[in-house]
Amino acid sequence: SDTRLREFAHRVAYEEDAMQLELATRTRMSGWVRERLLGPAEAPWRTIAAARTEIMEWAGADDEPSLARRAKIATWLNQLEAAAIG
């Protein structure tokens, strides 16, 4: 079988209902998600570090709505990071 298609199916299943996957697959997928999210800002995919860098680059817009939006995003990133760390 096509290993790429199998991996894609595991990713979709993990996002939809991870508990339906075998424990070994679920554990592997959790590790993969953790590595992706907690990777360096320079990674070729979006990481939490890259997102934090990007919101800091929005510093030119320091009006109240922009500051509130950045704070909300930063809070969400903190929660996402805490969940990824476990």
Side-chain angles (χ1 to χ4, degrees), residues 18-57:
M19 295 308 292
Q20 296 302 313
L21 295 170
E22 294 178 353
L23 178 59
T25 301
R26 193 169 60 238
T27 301
R28 182 177 57 79
M29 294 303 301
S30 293
W32 178 81
V33 169
R34 185 175 23 265
E35 287 178 25
R36 299 289 284 198
L37 290 174
L38 301 177
E42 307 79 36
W45 56 84
R46 180 63 49 134
T47 63
I48 292 171
R52 285 192 174 125
T53 299
E54 187 174 331
I55 64 172
M56 294 309 295
E57 291 171 356

Side-chain angles (χ1 to χ4, degrees), residues 2 40 75:
D2 187 341
T75 298

